[in-house]
Amino acid sequence: MRRTVLVTGGGRGIGREVSLRLARSGFDLSVHYHRNREAAEAVAEEARGTGVQAHTLQFDLVERDHTCETLSRDMAEHGAYYGVVFNAGMNHDAAFPAMTGEEWDSVLHTNLDGFYNVLHPITMPMVRARLGGRIVVMSSVAGIAGNRGQVNYSAAKGGLIAAAKSLAIELAKRRITVNCIAPGFIETEMTEAIPADLVRDLVPARRMGRPEEVAGLVAYLFSDDAEYITRQVISVNGGML
């Protein structure tokens, strides 16, 4: 039986590695992108090289109606998703006194509204399919401990943890697990400007993590061995917390 996984923000960074790791594990893919079609198509093509089916989806997850329509069409064509990796997100860093309303709203809308906009249309189809399933939500070390200059981002990522834990309770009896991953400093475009000496000071492992190290945890949470793991927040941060 074919099992399809939706990966939001699946074309770049952590999302790219997650998509390819799940493809190597035998899952078909719906690779979401907002603007960078070329990157998403490249991931889908590479995934198909492993023998699975893969295609791309375009939507802005802040736009509720368009997101719902796009996901509904995709499910009508390919069936209910077996799993979702809610990975897409954004940050606008600023000291709180200088933070604009737009910087607050854009981060909260993208991360928290995006959670609802993506997961709400697909949850009942997953339940009705009676196949169980997996939902993995990307939070952040900032969502656990907070971070200077990231009051908005920390609020959003902390909210994702609370939402995921609540959803896990609702879906547990349906054999659908819901877990959060909280990465620390991972080598992506978002962390390019972080000085190496700061990483060494803050991270006991004295280095940034690699996207494939996060992807490996996602693959485990999608495996049969993780069927009894739900409502958890698992950090990948080199010992920061």
Side-chain angles (χ1 to χ4, degrees):
M1 179 178 296
R2 308 200 72 93
R3 297 181 295 178
T4 301
V5 178
L6 169 68
V7 182
T8 64
R12 297 188 299 169
I14 292 173
R16 178 183 185 277
E17 295 300 324
V18 166
S19 296
L20 295 176
R21 184 62 180 266
L22 290 175
R24 292 195 295 271
S25 298
F27 293 98
D28 295 337
L29 294 177
S30 291
V31 182
H32 158 261
Y33 69 97
H34 179 197
R35 294 188 178 92
N36 196 334
R37 177 179 180 177
E38 183 177 355
E41 292 287 357
V43 169
E45 182 177 358
E46 188 170 346
R48 287 191 291 267
T50 69
V52 304
Q53 298 178 7
H55 60 277
T56 61
L57 293 177
Q58 190 282 327
F59 56 86
D60 180 354
L61 50 79
V62 174
E63 297 180 1
R64 181 167 297 158
D65 290 343
H66 182 232
T67 297
C68 182
E69 291 167 4
T70 303
L71 294 173
S72 296
R73 286 196 305 269
D74 194 46
M75 289 185 290
E77 182 175 354
H78 298 100
Y81 300 113
Y82 173 77
V84 182
V85 181
F86 184 77
N87 169 72
M90 69 175 298
N91 66 308
H92 273 309
D93 296 350
F96 187 70
M99 185 175 293
T100 67
E102 191 279 330
E103 288 170 336
W104 175 270
D105 289 343
S106 62
V107 172
L108 271 291
H109 289 333
T110 299
N111 290 283
L112 286 181
D113 290 357
F115 176 95
Y116 177 89
N117 295 345
V118 169
L119 291 176
H120 189 261
I122 66 181
T123 298
M124 280 311 300
M126 289 178 69
V127 169
R128 294 190 190 104
R130 299 180 182 273
L131 297 175
R134 302 284 190 268
I135 297 172
V136 173
V137 177
M138 288 293 172
S139 180
S140 168
V141 64
I144 299 174
N147 193 27
R148 183 187 302 272
Q150 290 190 319
V151 174
N152 51 357
Y153 187 72
S154 299
K157 292 297 188 177
L160 286 177
I161 289 174
K165 283 178 172 285
S166 297
L167 185 59
I169 298 171
E170 294 186 10
L171 296 180
K173 66 182 179 182
R174 307 292 187 175
R175 297 188 301 115
I176 299 172
T177 67
V178 186
N179 292 288
C180 280
I181 295 177
F185 294 140
I186 307 296
E187 294 173 349
T188 65
E189 292 179 9
M190 187 180 292
T191 60
E192 285 178 348
I194 297 176
D197 58 348
L198 179 62
V199 174
R200 287 192 294 269
D201 289 343
L202 294 179
V203 182
R206 298 180 64 81
R207 67 170 177 87
M208 286 195 183
R210 298 183 296 274
E212 54 266 34
E213 292 175 308
V214 180
L217 177 56
V218 175
Y220 171 70
L221 291 174
F222 269 77
S223 72
D224 292 341
D225 290 336
E227 188 172 357
Y228 200 55
I229 299 174
T230 194
R231 204 184 176 195
Q232 302 305 304
V233 182
I234 306 174
S235 296
V236 183
N237 62 29
M240 289 178 69
L241 292 174

